Amino acid sequence: NNEIFFPEDMGAGEHYPICDEPVFLSRCIDKKLKVEFIPINICIHPPISSGMNVSEIFTQSRGLCFRRVFGLKGLVLLIPFAIKMKIKKRNIPFFNYIKNLIRGFYAFQ
């Protein structure tokens, strides 16, 4: 009834390979739907996480996610996020990472 869909250009196998879930959930919350976390495992996968992948397209996907979830105010959140990633993953080229976040932030909407 609320016409909420997963972003078709985000997620596994798409141009922006990650961040489809937070964008979908933010759309649900924006429509005032009740969102609840239920801690039941319905599937598992190896402890390999796309969250630590800092390749160009993964980083751009995160930037686009910030735009879709927070709107224009998400731009100011990119720098603290980049600092957090630099702390977690020391070997990332910091300014290149920020550049790709911003490039993703301004990707086609």
Side-chain angles (χ1 to χ4, degrees):
N1 293 338
N2 289 288
E3 297 185 14
I4 301 170
F5 303 97
F6 271 87
E8 292 185 8
D9 60 343
M10 299 180 95
E14 297 303 326
H15 181 71
Y16 298 102
I18 58 173
C19 296
D20 52 324
E21 297 96 342
V23 171
F24 176 76
L25 288 173
S26 74
R27 290 175 177 176
C28 293
I29 292 168
D30 288 346
K31 294 278 188 169
K32 309 289 189 237
L33 297 179
K34 183 178 180 182
V35 177
E36 185 175 344
F37 172 71
I38 302 171
I40 298 172
N41 292 332
I42 57 171
C43 65
I44 60 170
H45 63 77
I48 300 167
S49 171
S50 60
M52 293 308 285
N53 187 324
V54 294
S55 69
E56 183 175 322
I57 197 64
F58 276 68
T59 303
Q60 289 178 10
S61 189
R62 288 183 188 94
L64 182 57
C65 177
F66 272 76
R67 171 72 179 252
R68 291 182 176 175
V69 171
F70 301 109
L72 288 176
K73 63 184 173 189
L75 187 59
V76 300
L77 299 173
L78 294 180
I79 301 300
F81 179 75
I83 292 169
K84 177 184 132 189
M85 286 300 288
K86 179 66 176 169
I87 291 168
K88 281 186 168 184
K89 202 164 171 73
R90 296 182 193 278
N91 63 340
I92 67 170
F94 186 69
F95 292 106
N96 195 39
Y97 189 76
I98 291 173
K99 179 184 77 174
N100 284 318
L101 280 172
I102 292 170
R103 189 176 288 158
F105 187 86
Y106 286 110
F108 174 74
Q109 299 298 308

